[in-house]
Amino acid sequence: MGQPVIEVFVCRGFSGQILRLSLPAQTPMEHLLRELLPQLQLPADPETVGVYNLTQDFEYLPTDTLAQRRTRPGDLVLVAPGGTCQRRS
């Protein structure tokens, strides 16, 4: 039996393009990005890309998994160049 997946909506960069993807729930974000970035036509270096859950208002760390951060099916996730998103208070 395969790894559980979570279906999320992924927003590509700042283009506004949104894709519905089923992603492995237990794979660290840094590994997910290695496969996802070429599909999204974004820079291939995961170190230069930030991943932010717009639905729940948090940023994923490279070691986070979707399951660890309690990502829910249907969440909107932004993947954008620029490394961390750095929220301002």
Side-chain angles (χ1 to χ4, degrees):
M1 196 151 91
Q3 183 180 160
V5 297
I6 298 174
E7 188 175 81
V8 295
F9 293 95
V10 176
C11 181
R12 179 185 162 267
F14 301 107
S15 72
Q17 178 187 16
I18 296 176
L19 307 167
R20 183 177 9 200
L21 299 174
S22 294
L23 300 175
Q26 300 295 338
T27 300
M29 194 56 63
E30 60 193 348
H31 298 296
L32 269 181
L33 285 174
R34 284 193 182 93
E35 294 180 26
L36 196 57
L37 292 177
Q39 292 176 43
L40 297 173
Q41 298 175 345
L42 290 171
D45 183 3
E47 303 266 331
T48 64
V49 175
V51 184
Y52 193 82
N53 187 312
L54 294 171
T55 304
Q56 297 187 52
D57 194 26
F58 64 81
E59 186 170 5
Y60 293 92
L61 297 174
T63 55
D64 287 342
T65 69
L66 296 174
Q68 283 174 327
R69 293 305 305 264
R70 295 193 173 124
T71 305
R72 297 181 300 244
D75 278 3
L76 178 60
V77 177
L78 172 68
V79 179
T84 61
C85 293
Q86 300 297 325
R87 270 189 73 187
R88 295 179 190 190
S89 301

